[in-house]
Amino acid sequence: MTATRELLAEPLKLRCGEVLPHRLAKSALSEQLGDRRNRPTPELAELYRTWAHGGAGLLVTGNVMVDPAAIGEPRNVALPAAPDPAVFRPWARSVDGTGARLWVQLNHPGRQSPRYLSRQPVAPSAVPFGDRGVRTAFAAPRALTGDEIEAIVDRFALAARTFVDAGFAGVQLHGAHGYLISQFLSPLTNLRDDEWGRDRSRFLLEVVRRVRAAVGDSVPVSVKLNSADFQRGGFGEDESLQVVRALGDAGLDLLEISGGTYEKAAMMGSGRESTARREAYFLDYAAKAREVSDVALMVTGGFTTAEGMAEALRSGALDVIGLGRPLTVDPGLPARLLAGEDARAERLCPRTGIRLADSLLEVQWHTQQLHRVAAGKPVARGRSAWRALAQAGINDPLNAFRRVRG
């Protein structure tokens, strides 16, 4: 156990010179704790204060949208048209005195903006969702013009500069899970015949370039990237590895590996059985990414025990362990792992018995737990877990699932 604890506690120096205090990170989760004007709330700052005191060395925020007119979920935090760093400063200072590094995750939903938030979302190409159930929730997008693409790239850079000025220690660009950057990378959603389509990685690499220019060389810049979309004809592993190589050449500081989209939600736990047994959904891919680039790698998803995390680090396939939903039910898990306690990541969510329904239910349930932590309430367990879902308007997850699927 001592060797395991020492491995988890080892600092990590990034290319830019920033040093992460240890190898346990809180990965991005969708908080939905902005106010009606998409500004951070005191509850959001309290949530991150709790996580910082819980021992995570790196904290990555969830889904800060770079365009207030393009929101992925209700109560997302978004960069206003005329941004003021002071608005975000209390959130940035929530980790003061803990040694934790707080990075902002920047995102644009593209076509993944629900109908009730956007009647006409935008995307690289006017391609609606292929899945009938998912399509009912999202309007068909229109294709972006070249000038609009340039403006969005600039919004990413402006957002990065604003949050760094507010006191955030780093930036992560969300290039996974079917959001706009991911849409540009996928041959299923990017059918353009201009420079943004002939090289589908151009949008991501240009965002990285302009963000780096905006924040300087000493601020960590990270990307969350799909290993694959897990859809026939979509963004595949071979192409993803080419992007990994290009990101390494571009001077990226940390690459977080994930996978899937709203239609194929590998990030929700549908990884291969072999990787699930080793407590990491994307560990096999990480090993391949290590062969093509020396950029620091973070893998999120599936980790449950200290020994499983240490085994993944010993393999050399990754550098940082990402913990997401486990920290909504146990915010102090990193500190207990680093102390050598016999701690495990718990899964307390109720189950329906339908795999995809359970995946969707688990996301909603963990969001509710996250809100309870932000409000200083205890985690809901057993019957109280179902009551918490009912209070959130999810009275019958099975019937809700069936309605969505048609």
Side-chain angles (χ1 to χ4, degrees):
M1 181 59 72
T2 299
T4 294
R5 183 172 67 248
E6 291 177 350
L7 191 55
L8 297 179
E10 183 179 352
L12 176 66
K13 185 174 182 179
L14 303 176
R15 284 179 170 179
C16 64
E18 175 70 277
V19 178
L20 301 182
H22 55 74
R23 303 306 178 98
L24 299 179
K26 176 261 163 191
S27 184
L29 295 165
S30 179
E31 303 105 1
Q32 298 179 54
L33 281 172
D35 64 17
R36 293 181 182 275
R37 295 171 62 185
N38 302 110
R39 300 172 303 184
T41 58
E43 290 80 11
L44 188 56
E46 180 59 30
L47 176 65
Y48 277 82
R49 186 175 295 109
T50 300
W51 275 330
H53 284 279
L58 169 63
L59 297 165
V60 183
T61 74
N63 277 343
V64 172
M65 298 298 173
V66 300
D67 183 349
I71 303 297
E73 299 157 304
R75 299 184 68 190
N76 278 154
V77 173
L79 186 78
D84 178 3
V87 172
F88 306 104
R89 199 156 287 140
W91 190 10
R93 298 194 64 179
S94 65
V95 303
D96 284 359
T98 66
R101 310 296 192 265
L102 179 56
W103 294 2
V104 62
Q105 184 192 73
L106 301 178
N107 196 4
H108 188 297
R111 68 175 186 168
Q112 287 184 180
S113 183
R115 288 178 184 271
Y116 63 90
L117 293 176
S118 178
R119 294 182 179 179
Q120 182 73 89
V122 296
S125 302
V127 180
F129 284 97
D131 183 281
R132 182 166 59 93
V134 177
R135 193 166 61 240
T136 61
F138 299 91
R142 68 168 178 82
L144 288 160
T145 67
D147 288 344
E148 287 174 326
I149 293 172
E150 290 283 353
I152 291 174
V153 175
D154 285 338
R155 289 292 295 183
F156 273 98
L158 177 61
R161 183 68 258 171
T162 300
F163 277 88
V164 169
D165 287 345
F168 284 75
V171 177
Q172 183 181 84
L173 307 172
H174 199 334
H177 303 173
Y179 292 108
L180 184 64
I181 293 176
S182 180
Q183 291 162 33
F184 268 97
L185 290 169
S186 174
L188 295 178
T189 48
N190 184 352
L191 309 179
R192 304 177 70 94
D193 58 7
D194 61 5
E195 64 271 26
W196 301 103
R198 289 191 293 270
D199 177 4
R200 295 193 306 276
S201 67
R202 174 174 177 163
F203 182 78
L204 169 57
L205 294 173
E206 186 61 19
V207 171
V208 170
R209 186 185 69 80
R210 293 195 204 175
V211 165
R212 173 61 76 195
V215 301
D217 294 336
S218 62
V219 175
V221 176
S222 170
V223 167
K224 188 168 191 170
L225 183 72
N226 271 1
S227 61
D229 291 344
F230 301 104
Q231 292 178 275
R232 182 174 297 177
F235 184 63
E237 188 175 282
D238 289 345
E239 189 172 6
S240 179
L241 289 171
Q242 293 176 17
V243 174
V244 170
R245 182 182 290 108
L247 288 170
D249 293 342
L252 196 73
D253 293 294
L254 180 70
L255 176 67
E256 182 180 1
I257 296 167
S258 191
T261 66
Y262 277 20
E263 293 176 285
K264 293 290 183 179
M267 67 285 195
M268 295 181 185
S270 57
R272 296 179 181 177
E273 183 182 354
S274 61
T275 54
R277 281 199 303 268
R278 287 178 291 149
E279 299 191 16
Y281 299 147
F282 306 106
L283 192 58
D284 290 340
Y285 175 86
K288 296 176 183 177
R290 179 70 83 204
E291 295 177 358
V292 302
S293 176
D294 61 356
V295 64
L297 297 176
M298 173 174 164
V299 173
T300 301
F303 291 108
T304 58
T305 66
E307 187 51 46
M309 299 172 197
E311 180 182 348
L313 290 168
R314 288 190 197 99
S315 75
L318 58 104
D319 303 285
V320 180
I321 303 293
L323 298 169
R325 284 173 280 175
L327 299 192
T328 68
V329 298
D330 186 359
L333 178 61
R336 296 195 295 116
L337 290 167
L338 292 168
E341 297 181 21
D342 185 19
R344 295 181 60 89
E346 293 187 86
R347 299 175 69 90
L348 303 177
C349 180
R351 298 288 178 182
T352 67
I354 298 177
R355 186 175 182 181
L356 181 55
D358 283 340
S359 294
L360 298 171
L361 176 62
E362 188 163 337
V363 170
Q364 181 62 51
W365 185 83
H366 280 282
T367 300
Q368 292 303 312
Q369 299 311 304
L370 176 154
H371 289 185
R372 294 176 72 89
V373 172
K377 297 179 180 179
V379 173
R381 300 170 185 266
R383 291 183 179 180
S384 66
W386 286 108
R387 286 196 296 270
L389 286 170
Q391 290 168 2
I394 307 177
N395 296 304
D396 189 339
L398 276 173
N399 284 336
F401 170 72
R402 291 181 181 123
R403 285 197 299 273
V404 171
R405 297 296 293 178

